[in-house]
Short mmCIF file of all heavy atoms in Angstrom, two decimals:
data_model
loop_
_atom_site.label_atom_id
_atom_site.label_comp_id
_atom_site.label_asym_id
_atom_site.label_seq_id
_atom_site.Cartn_x
_atom_site.Cartn_y
_atom_site.Cartn_z
N ARG A 240 263.70 16.29 -51.27
CA ARG A 240 263.75 15.01 -50.55
C ARG A 240 263.75 13.84 -51.53
O ARG A 240 264.48 12.86 -51.36
CB ARG A 240 262.56 14.88 -49.59
CG ARG A 240 262.59 15.80 -48.38
CD ARG A 240 261.53 15.35 -47.38
NE ARG A 240 261.31 16.35 -46.36
CZ ARG A 240 260.21 17.10 -46.26
NH1 ARG A 240 259.22 16.96 -47.13
NH2 ARG A 240 260.07 17.99 -45.29
N ASN A 241 262.92 13.94 -52.56
CA ASN A 241 262.83 12.86 -53.55
C ASN A 241 264.14 12.74 -54.33
O ASN A 241 264.57 11.62 -54.65
CB ASN A 241 261.67 13.12 -54.51
CG ASN A 241 261.45 11.95 -55.45
OD1 ASN A 241 261.14 10.85 -55.02
ND2 ASN A 241 261.62 12.18 -56.74
N SER A 242 264.80 13.86 -54.62
CA SER A 242 266.08 13.82 -55.34
C SER A 242 267.14 13.11 -54.52
O SER A 242 267.93 12.32 -55.06
CB SER A 242 266.54 15.25 -55.67
OG SER A 242 265.67 15.88 -56.59
N PHE A 243 267.16 13.36 -53.22
CA PHE A 243 268.10 12.65 -52.34
C PHE A 243 267.76 11.17 -52.27
O PHE A 243 268.65 10.31 -52.28
CB PHE A 243 268.10 13.27 -50.94
CG PHE A 243 269.07 14.41 -50.81
CD1 PHE A 243 268.64 15.72 -50.96
CD2 PHE A 243 270.41 14.18 -50.54
CE1 PHE A 243 269.52 16.78 -50.86
CE2 PHE A 243 271.31 15.23 -50.44
CZ PHE A 243 270.87 16.54 -50.59
N PHE A 244 266.48 10.85 -52.21
CA PHE A 244 266.06 9.46 -52.17
C PHE A 244 266.53 8.71 -53.42
O PHE A 244 267.05 7.59 -53.33
CB PHE A 244 264.53 9.36 -52.04
CG PHE A 244 263.99 7.98 -52.24
CD1 PHE A 244 264.05 7.04 -51.21
CD2 PHE A 244 263.43 7.61 -53.45
CE1 PHE A 244 263.56 5.75 -51.39
CE2 PHE A 244 262.93 6.31 -53.64
CZ PHE A 244 262.99 5.39 -52.61
N GLU A 245 266.37 9.33 -54.58
CA GLU A 245 266.72 8.66 -55.83
C GLU A 245 268.21 8.41 -55.95
O GLU A 245 268.63 7.30 -56.33
CB GLU A 245 266.23 9.49 -57.02
CG GLU A 245 264.71 9.56 -57.17
CD GLU A 245 264.09 8.21 -57.44
OE1 GLU A 245 264.79 7.30 -57.93
OE2 GLU A 245 262.88 8.04 -57.15
N ILE A 246 269.05 9.38 -55.63
CA ILE A 246 270.48 9.15 -55.75
C ILE A 246 270.96 8.21 -54.65
O ILE A 246 271.85 7.38 -54.87
CB ILE A 246 271.28 10.48 -55.74
CG1 ILE A 246 272.77 10.21 -56.00
CG2 ILE A 246 271.10 11.23 -54.43
CD1 ILE A 246 273.07 9.48 -57.31
N HIS A 247 270.36 8.30 -53.48
CA HIS A 247 270.76 7.39 -52.39
C HIS A 247 270.45 5.94 -52.78
O HIS A 247 271.30 5.05 -52.60
CB HIS A 247 270.02 7.76 -51.11
CG HIS A 247 270.39 6.91 -49.94
ND1 HIS A 247 271.61 7.00 -49.32
CD2 HIS A 247 269.72 5.93 -49.30
CE1 HIS A 247 271.68 6.11 -48.34
NE2 HIS A 247 270.54 5.45 -48.31
N ARG A 248 269.28 5.72 -53.32
CA ARG A 248 268.90 4.37 -53.76
C ARG A 248 269.84 3.87 -54.85
O ARG A 248 270.23 2.70 -54.85
CB ARG A 248 267.45 4.38 -54.27
CG ARG A 248 266.95 3.03 -54.73
CD ARG A 248 265.47 3.03 -55.00
NE ARG A 248 265.08 3.98 -56.02
CZ ARG A 248 263.84 4.08 -56.51
NH1 ARG A 248 262.89 3.30 -56.04
NH2 ARG A 248 263.55 4.95 -57.45
N ARG A 249 270.23 4.77 -55.72
CA ARG A 249 271.15 4.39 -56.80
C ARG A 249 272.52 4.02 -56.26
O ARG A 249 273.13 3.05 -56.71
CB ARG A 249 271.26 5.54 -57.81
CG ARG A 249 272.03 5.18 -59.06
CD ARG A 249 271.99 6.31 -60.09
NE ARG A 249 272.76 5.96 -61.26
CZ ARG A 249 272.98 6.77 -62.29
NH1 ARG A 249 272.45 8.00 -62.28
NH2 ARG A 249 273.70 6.38 -63.32
N VAL A 250 273.01 4.77 -55.30
CA VAL A 250 274.30 4.46 -54.68
C VAL A 250 274.26 3.07 -54.05
O VAL A 250 275.16 2.24 -54.27
CB VAL A 250 274.68 5.51 -53.62
CG1 VAL A 250 275.89 5.05 -52.80
CG2 VAL A 250 274.98 6.86 -54.28
N LEU A 251 273.24 2.80 -53.26
CA LEU A 251 273.13 1.50 -52.59
C LEU A 251 273.05 0.35 -53.60
O LEU A 251 273.62 -0.72 -53.39
CB LEU A 251 271.91 1.48 -51.68
CG LEU A 251 271.91 2.46 -50.49
CD1 LEU A 251 270.64 2.29 -49.67
CD2 LEU A 251 273.14 2.28 -49.62
N ARG A 252 272.34 0.59 -54.69
CA ARG A 252 272.15 -0.46 -55.69
C ARG A 252 273.42 -0.70 -56.52
O ARG A 252 273.84 -1.84 -56.73
CB ARG A 252 271.00 -0.08 -56.63
CG ARG A 252 270.68 -1.13 -57.68
CD ARG A 252 269.49 -0.73 -58.53
NE ARG A 252 269.75 0.47 -59.32
CZ ARG A 252 269.12 1.62 -59.13
NH1 ARG A 252 268.19 1.75 -58.19
NH2 ARG A 252 269.40 2.67 -59.89
N GLU A 253 274.07 0.36 -56.98
CA GLU A 253 275.17 0.21 -57.93
C GLU A 253 276.51 -0.14 -57.28
O GLU A 253 277.42 -0.60 -57.96
CB GLU A 253 275.30 1.49 -58.77
CG GLU A 253 274.08 1.74 -59.64
CD GLU A 253 274.29 2.83 -60.67
OE1 GLU A 253 275.45 3.13 -61.01
OE2 GLU A 253 273.27 3.40 -61.13
N LEU A 254 276.63 0.06 -55.97
CA LEU A 254 277.90 -0.22 -55.30
C LEU A 254 277.84 -1.44 -54.39
O LEU A 254 278.82 -1.77 -53.74
CB LEU A 254 278.35 1.02 -54.50
CG LEU A 254 278.54 2.30 -55.32
CD1 LEU A 254 279.02 3.43 -54.42
CD2 LEU A 254 279.52 2.09 -56.48
N ALA A 255 276.71 -2.11 -54.36
CA ALA A 255 276.50 -3.19 -53.39
C ALA A 255 277.36 -4.43 -53.65
O ALA A 255 277.59 -5.21 -52.73
CB ALA A 255 275.02 -3.59 -53.36
N ASP A 256 277.83 -4.61 -54.89
CA ASP A 256 278.54 -5.86 -55.21
C ASP A 256 280.06 -5.70 -55.18
O ASP A 256 280.78 -6.58 -55.68
CB ASP A 256 278.10 -6.38 -56.58
CG ASP A 256 278.45 -5.43 -57.72
OD1 ASP A 256 278.78 -4.25 -57.44
OD2 ASP A 256 278.40 -5.87 -58.89
N ILE A 257 280.57 -4.63 -54.60
CA ILE A 257 282.02 -4.43 -54.52
C ILE A 257 282.63 -5.49 -53.61
O ILE A 257 282.15 -5.72 -52.49
CB ILE A 257 282.35 -3.02 -54.00
CG1 ILE A 257 281.86 -1.97 -55.00
CG2 ILE A 257 283.85 -2.85 -53.76
CD1 ILE A 257 282.03 -0.54 -54.51
N THR A 258 283.69 -6.12 -54.08
CA THR A 258 284.35 -7.16 -53.29
C THR A 258 285.39 -6.56 -52.35
O THR A 258 285.79 -5.40 -52.51
CB THR A 258 285.05 -8.17 -54.21
OG1 THR A 258 286.14 -7.50 -54.89
CG2 THR A 258 284.09 -8.74 -55.24
N ASP A 259 285.83 -7.35 -51.39
CA ASP A 259 286.87 -6.88 -50.47
C ASP A 259 288.13 -6.49 -51.23
O ASP A 259 288.78 -5.48 -50.90
CB ASP A 259 287.20 -7.97 -49.45
CG ASP A 259 286.11 -8.15 -48.39
OD1 ASP A 259 285.11 -7.40 -48.45
OD2 ASP A 259 286.26 -9.03 -47.54
N ALA A 260 288.48 -7.27 -52.25
CA ALA A 260 289.69 -6.95 -53.02
C ALA A 260 289.53 -5.63 -53.77
O ALA A 260 290.48 -4.82 -53.84
CB ALA A 260 289.98 -8.08 -54.01
N GLU A 261 288.35 -5.38 -54.30
CA GLU A 261 288.12 -4.14 -55.05
C GLU A 261 288.17 -2.92 -54.13
O GLU A 261 288.49 -1.82 -54.60
CB GLU A 261 286.79 -4.21 -55.78
CG GLU A 261 286.83 -5.12 -57.00
CD GLU A 261 285.47 -5.29 -57.65
OE1 GLU A 261 284.44 -5.20 -56.94
OE2 GLU A 261 285.43 -5.54 -58.86
N LEU A 262 287.86 -3.10 -52.87
CA LEU A 262 287.93 -1.97 -51.93
C LEU A 262 289.32 -1.36 -51.88
O LEU A 262 289.46 -0.16 -51.59
CB LEU A 262 287.52 -2.42 -50.53
CG LEU A 262 286.04 -2.68 -50.28
CD1 LEU A 262 285.85 -3.26 -48.89
CD2 LEU A 262 285.22 -1.41 -50.44
N GLU A 263 290.34 -2.14 -52.17
CA GLU A 263 291.72 -1.65 -52.07
C GLU A 263 292.23 -1.09 -53.40
O GLU A 263 293.32 -0.53 -53.45
CB GLU A 263 292.64 -2.77 -51.59
CG GLU A 263 292.16 -3.50 -50.35
CD GLU A 263 291.75 -2.58 -49.21
OE1 GLU A 263 292.33 -1.48 -49.08
OE2 GLU A 263 290.85 -2.95 -48.43
N GLN A 264 291.44 -1.20 -54.48
CA GLN A 264 291.85 -0.67 -55.77
C GLN A 264 291.70 0.85 -55.78
O GLN A 264 290.84 1.41 -55.10
CB GLN A 264 291.01 -1.28 -56.89
CG GLN A 264 291.21 -2.77 -57.08
CD GLN A 264 292.60 -3.10 -57.55
OE1 GLN A 264 293.22 -2.35 -58.31
NE2 GLN A 264 293.13 -4.23 -57.08
N PRO A 265 292.53 1.55 -56.57
CA PRO A 265 292.46 3.02 -56.58
C PRO A 265 291.28 3.56 -57.38
O PRO A 265 290.83 2.95 -58.34
CB PRO A 265 293.78 3.42 -57.24
CG PRO A 265 294.13 2.26 -58.12
CD PRO A 265 293.64 1.04 -57.38
N ALA A 266 290.78 4.70 -56.95
CA ALA A 266 289.80 5.48 -57.70
C ALA A 266 290.34 6.90 -57.79
O ALA A 266 290.77 7.47 -56.79
CB ALA A 266 288.45 5.46 -57.00
N TRP A 267 290.31 7.46 -58.99
CA TRP A 267 290.95 8.75 -59.23
C TRP A 267 289.93 9.88 -59.18
O TRP A 267 288.81 9.77 -59.68
CB TRP A 267 291.63 8.75 -60.59
CG TRP A 267 292.83 7.85 -60.65
CD1 TRP A 267 294.14 8.20 -60.47
CD2 TRP A 267 292.84 6.45 -60.91
NE1 TRP A 267 294.96 7.10 -60.61
CE2 TRP A 267 294.19 6.00 -60.87
CE3 TRP A 267 291.84 5.49 -61.17
CZ2 TRP A 267 294.56 4.68 -61.09
CZ3 TRP A 267 292.20 4.18 -61.38
CH2 TRP A 267 293.54 3.77 -61.34
N PHE A 268 290.36 10.99 -58.54
CA PHE A 268 289.52 12.20 -58.45
C PHE A 268 290.46 13.38 -58.38
O PHE A 268 291.67 13.24 -58.63
CB PHE A 268 288.61 12.08 -57.22
CG PHE A 268 287.37 12.93 -57.26
CD1 PHE A 268 286.77 13.30 -58.46
CD2 PHE A 268 286.77 13.35 -56.07
CE1 PHE A 268 285.61 14.06 -58.48
CE2 PHE A 268 285.61 14.12 -56.08
CZ PHE A 268 285.03 14.47 -57.28
N TRP A 269 289.96 14.55 -58.02
CA TRP A 269 290.80 15.74 -57.98
C TRP A 269 291.97 15.59 -56.99
O TRP A 269 293.01 16.24 -57.14
CB TRP A 269 289.97 16.97 -57.60
CG TRP A 269 289.43 16.92 -56.18
CD1 TRP A 269 288.23 16.44 -55.79
CD2 TRP A 269 290.09 17.36 -55.00
NE1 TRP A 269 288.08 16.54 -54.43
CE2 TRP A 269 289.21 17.12 -53.91
CE3 TRP A 269 291.33 17.96 -54.73
CZ2 TRP A 269 289.54 17.43 -52.59
CZ3 TRP A 269 291.66 18.27 -53.41
CH2 TRP A 269 290.76 18.01 -52.37
N ASP A 270 291.81 14.73 -55.98
CA ASP A 270 292.83 14.54 -54.95
C ASP A 270 293.73 13.34 -55.27
O ASP A 270 294.27 12.70 -54.37
CB ASP A 270 292.19 14.37 -53.58
CG ASP A 270 291.15 13.26 -53.54
OD1 ASP A 270 290.81 12.73 -54.62
OD2 ASP A 270 290.68 12.91 -52.45
N ALA A 271 293.87 13.02 -56.57
CA ALA A 271 294.71 11.93 -57.04
C ALA A 271 294.08 10.57 -56.73
O ALA A 271 292.86 10.48 -56.55
CB ALA A 271 296.13 12.04 -56.45
N ALA A 272 294.88 9.53 -56.66
CA ALA A 272 294.35 8.18 -56.46
C ALA A 272 294.17 7.89 -54.98
O ALA A 272 295.06 8.16 -54.17
CB ALA A 272 295.30 7.15 -57.08
N LYS A 273 292.98 7.38 -54.64
CA LYS A 273 292.69 6.94 -53.28
C LYS A 273 291.96 5.59 -53.39
O LYS A 273 291.23 5.35 -54.35
CB LYS A 273 291.79 7.94 -52.54
CG LYS A 273 292.41 9.31 -52.33
CD LYS A 273 293.43 9.29 -51.21
CE LYS A 273 293.88 10.70 -50.82
NZ LYS A 273 294.53 11.43 -51.93
N PRO A 274 292.10 4.70 -52.41
CA PRO A 274 291.38 3.42 -52.47
C PRO A 274 289.87 3.62 -52.55
O PRO A 274 289.32 4.57 -51.99
CB PRO A 274 291.79 2.73 -51.17
CG PRO A 274 293.05 3.40 -50.74
CD PRO A 274 292.93 4.81 -51.21
N ILE A 275 289.20 2.71 -53.23
CA ILE A 275 287.74 2.75 -53.30
C ILE A 275 287.16 2.74 -51.89
O ILE A 275 286.13 3.39 -51.63
CB ILE A 275 287.21 1.59 -54.16
CG1 ILE A 275 287.54 1.84 -55.63
CG2 ILE A 275 285.71 1.39 -53.97
CD1 ILE A 275 287.19 0.71 -56.56
N ARG A 276 287.79 2.02 -50.98
CA ARG A 276 287.35 2.02 -49.59
C ARG A 276 287.23 3.44 -49.05
O ARG A 276 286.23 3.82 -48.42
CB ARG A 276 288.34 1.22 -48.73
CG ARG A 276 288.00 1.19 -47.23
CD ARG A 276 289.14 0.59 -46.43
NE ARG A 276 289.43 -0.78 -46.83
CZ ARG A 276 288.75 -1.84 -46.39
NH1 ARG A 276 287.74 -1.68 -45.55
NH2 ARG A 276 289.08 -3.04 -46.78
N PHE A 277 288.25 4.26 -49.29
CA PHE A 277 288.25 5.66 -48.85
C PHE A 277 287.10 6.41 -49.52
O PHE A 277 286.37 7.17 -48.87
CB PHE A 277 289.58 6.31 -49.20
CG PHE A 277 289.62 7.80 -48.98
CD1 PHE A 277 289.94 8.32 -47.73
CD2 PHE A 277 289.34 8.69 -50.01
CE1 PHE A 277 289.98 9.69 -47.52
CE2 PHE A 277 289.36 10.07 -49.81
CZ PHE A 277 289.68 10.56 -48.55
N ARG A 278 286.94 6.18 -50.83
CA ARG A 278 285.89 6.90 -51.57
C ARG A 278 284.48 6.58 -51.03
O ARG A 278 283.61 7.44 -50.96
CB ARG A 278 285.96 6.54 -53.06
CG ARG A 278 287.27 6.88 -53.74
CD ARG A 278 287.49 8.36 -53.86
NE ARG A 278 288.73 8.65 -54.58
CZ ARG A 278 289.41 9.77 -54.43
NH1 ARG A 278 288.97 10.72 -53.59
NH2 ARG A 278 290.51 9.99 -55.10
N LEU A 279 284.28 5.31 -50.66
CA LEU A 279 282.97 4.92 -50.14
C LEU A 279 282.67 5.59 -48.80
O LEU A 279 281.54 6.04 -48.56
CB LEU A 279 282.89 3.40 -49.99
CG LEU A 279 282.91 2.57 -51.27
CD1 LEU A 279 282.75 1.09 -50.95
CD2 LEU A 279 281.83 3.02 -52.25
N HIS A 280 283.66 5.66 -47.94
CA HIS A 280 283.44 6.32 -46.65
C HIS A 280 283.21 7.82 -46.81
O HIS A 280 282.59 8.45 -45.93
CB HIS A 280 284.62 6.07 -45.71
CG HIS A 280 284.63 4.70 -45.09
ND1 HIS A 280 283.64 4.29 -44.22
CD2 HIS A 280 285.49 3.66 -45.22
CE1 HIS A 280 283.90 3.05 -43.82
NE2 HIS A 280 285.01 2.64 -44.40
N ARG A 281 283.67 8.39 -47.91
CA ARG A 281 283.45 9.82 -48.15
C ARG A 281 281.97 10.15 -48.29
O ARG A 281 281.54 11.26 -47.97
CB ARG A 281 284.22 10.30 -49.38
CG ARG A 281 285.70 10.50 -49.15
CD ARG A 281 285.97 11.63 -48.17
NE ARG A 281 285.51 12.92 -48.69
CZ ARG A 281 285.07 13.93 -47.94
NH1 ARG A 281 284.99 13.81 -46.62
NH2 ARG A 281 284.70 15.06 -48.50
N PHE A 282 281.18 9.20 -48.82
CA PHE A 282 279.74 9.45 -48.90
C PHE A 282 279.19 9.84 -47.53
O PHE A 282 278.48 10.84 -47.39
CB PHE A 282 279.01 8.18 -49.39
CG PHE A 282 279.04 7.94 -50.86
CD1 PHE A 282 279.90 6.99 -51.40
CD2 PHE A 282 278.20 8.63 -51.71
CE1 PHE A 282 279.92 6.74 -52.77
CE2 PHE A 282 278.20 8.39 -53.08
CZ PHE A 282 279.08 7.44 -53.61
N GLU A 283 279.51 9.03 -46.53
CA GLU A 283 279.00 9.30 -45.19
C GLU A 283 279.56 10.59 -44.61
O GLU A 283 278.81 11.43 -44.10
CB GLU A 283 279.33 8.14 -44.24
CG GLU A 283 278.88 8.45 -42.80
CD GLU A 283 279.30 7.41 -41.79
OE1 GLU A 283 280.01 6.46 -42.14
OE2 GLU A 283 278.89 7.57 -40.61
N GLU A 284 280.88 10.74 -44.68
CA GLU A 284 281.49 11.88 -44.00
C GLU A 284 281.07 13.21 -44.60
O GLU A 284 280.87 14.19 -43.89
CB GLU A 284 283.01 11.74 -44.00
CG GLU A 284 283.52 10.53 -43.21
CD GLU A 284 282.94 10.46 -41.81
OE1 GLU A 284 282.79 11.51 -41.16
OE2 GLU A 284 282.63 9.33 -41.37
#
C-alpha cells in the first residue's frame, strides 16, 4: 500500500504542471508515438 502511495504521489506532483499545448505533444513508448494526453489517461485505465 505504501509503495502505491509513494508512486501515486510522485505522479500527481511531477505531472501537475503540464500545459494544454503539451498534452498534444507526442510521447514515445513500445506502441510508437502517442499524445501525452493519451499517456496520462492510461494511468487510470
Side-chain angles (χ1 to χ4, degrees):
R240 290 193 193 109
N241 187 62
S242 294
F243 272 96
F244 170 79
E245 292 297 337
I246 185 57
H247 182 71
R248 180 170 60 174
R249 188 174 179 184
V250 169
L251 297 181
R252 182 177 64 246
E253 296 191 21
L254 301 181
D256 64 345
I257 295 175
T258 66
D259 287 358
E261 286 174 331
L262 286 174
E263 310 311 328
Q264 295 294 325
W267 291 264
F268 202 28
W269 67 268
D270 54 352
K273 296 284 190 299
I275 289 175
R276 178 190 299 278
F277 172 86
R278 300 292 183 205
L279 293 183
H280 283 295
R281 283 295 296 150
F282 280 102
E283 176 186 4
E284 296 309 321

